Amino acid sequence: MALIQCGFYSDILSLSVSMNVIVPQALAMNAGGTGWENGGRRLPVLYLLHGLSDDHSTWLRRTSIERYAEERGVAVVMPEVHRSFYSDIGKHRQYWTFVSKELPSIAEALFPVATDRSGRFVAGLSMGGYGAFKLALRLPERYAAAASLSGALDFAGIGAFMGDEAQEVFGDRPAAGSDNDLFALAERLARGAADKEALPAFYQCCGTEDFLYDDNRRFLDHVRKLGLSLTYEEGPGTHAWDYWDAHIRKVLDWLPLEKVNRPI
């Protein structure tokens, strides 16, 4: 297993940024005996998003994601987006554009990760759960599956989460019905889908003692009424790393990794 701590320049953000990348070393000696290669295959990739108080290193430091990814043969890309809620904030803080467009193109150029929808997945915790669902709901043609762990999925919860900072991130415009509103995005996706089976699969979990539990239940009820495919789990747990460490393993088991086998 290779762990790459990657610093690079973002044209979108006009800023040097960081990401950590886990790449399974599924290598074999080439036919000429001159070196090692990965069999000409691109790996399934999980874009794993951090929470409000975290950065690109926290998943590695607080969970066993490296070991879990190695066991399943999946690459993991963990970017840093600060306290952006995966949203565009002014001219030089366009974190939505960064994570939705620039980040995948850079990761795919630098590492042997999937470039097609069937091998591309996204997940995150708390603020990252919001970001993961936002990516899959707005860009269903790019992601086969998305997972939210204790996600801040309802703007009522986001306001409680961020306080006055929410206005800085989302601006003065009404949140309801906007491209930042997951409830509205889910409605648009369900309404515009000719075949709901072709849409991304969604996984959602939240601890019953989590302060975002009620928000998660509201989103669950909303999505179920729309008829979207969503796997939901709840049980004892708070907004804490022991819960997320256990459930990211469940997310990896849930992902359709066996369907990915793409040539470079």
Side-chain angles (χ1 to χ4, degrees):
M1 200 69 176
L3 169 62
I4 299 98
Q5 297 173 313
C6 182
F8 61 100
Y9 186 79
S10 165
D11 290 325
I12 294 295
L13 299 174
S14 299
L15 184 71
S16 292
V17 294
S18 299
M19 65 177 167
N20 283 338
V21 183
I22 299 168
V23 182
Q25 291 179 242
L27 303 178
M29 182 64 73
N30 63 28
T34 58
W36 298 88
E37 59 186 27
N38 74 341
R41 300 294 174 183
R42 284 194 173 265
L43 298 161
V45 58
L46 174 66
Y47 290 88
L48 188 56
L49 310 182
H50 68 73
L52 187 68
S53 60
D54 304 326
D55 64 13
H56 63 290
S57 72
T58 316
W59 273 106
L60 281 169
R61 291 187 291 113
R62 303 300 295 273
T63 76
S64 295
I65 183 61
E66 186 175 4
R67 177 162 55 87
Y68 304 153
E70 181 178 25
E71 292 169 352
R72 294 159 179 82
V74 59
V76 183
V77 175
M78 294 163 280
E80 181 174 28
V81 301
H82 304 289
R83 297 171 66 89
S84 66
F85 253 87
Y86 302 89
S87 300
D88 286 342
I89 314 166
K91 182 178 180 181
H92 293 304
R93 298 174 67 194
Q94 296 184 37
Y95 283 97
W96 164 255
T97 304
F98 166 70
V99 79
S100 64
K101 294 183 179 179
E102 189 177 28
L103 174 70
S105 66
I106 290 174
E108 290 164 9
L110 294 177
F111 307 105
V113 298
T115 58
D116 65 322
R117 179 183 185 268
S118 67
R120 191 185 295 126
F121 316 106
V122 61
L125 69 91
S126 197
M127 179 186 81
Y130 168 87
F133 275 7
K134 185 175 179 179
L135 281 164
L137 289 169
R138 287 184 63 172
L139 302 169
E141 71 283 1
R142 296 190 193 177
Y143 296 92
S148 166
L149 292 74
S150 311
L153 305 180
D154 189 338
F155 268 103
I158 293 174
F161 211 64
M162 300 184 72
D164 294 339
E165 190 179 1
Q167 183 174 342
E168 177 188 354
V169 171
F170 297 110
D172 296 324
R173 292 169 294 177
S178 73
D179 286 342
N180 294 316
D181 180 357
L182 299 187
F183 285 71
L185 292 175
E187 287 184 21
R188 290 181 210 168
L189 185 63
R191 187 171 57 245
D195 179 10
K196 287 188 174 62
E197 295 298 322
L199 296 178
F202 294 90
Y203 174 97
Q204 179 188 351
C205 66
C206 191
T208 51
E209 289 74 46
D210 195 305
F211 71 95
L212 291 174
Y213 174 72
D214 290 341
D215 295 353
N216 274 262
R217 290 295 312 191
R218 281 193 292 273
F219 186 78
L220 171 67
D221 293 342
H222 182 70
V223 169
R224 281 180 170 169
K225 289 177 182 177
L226 294 172
L228 297 178
S229 172
L230 187 146
T231 299
Y232 178 78
E233 291 191 35
E234 66 173 54
T238 62
H239 210 72
W241 280 101
D242 58 347
Y243 183 86
W244 300 322
D245 181 51
H247 282 78
I248 193 60
R249 296 180 71 180
K250 294 186 177 183
V251 169
L252 289 168
D253 288 338
W254 169 80
L255 293 176
L257 300 177
E258 71 284 351
K259 297 180 180 180
V260 185
N261 189 19
R262 295 287 180 258
I264 290 179

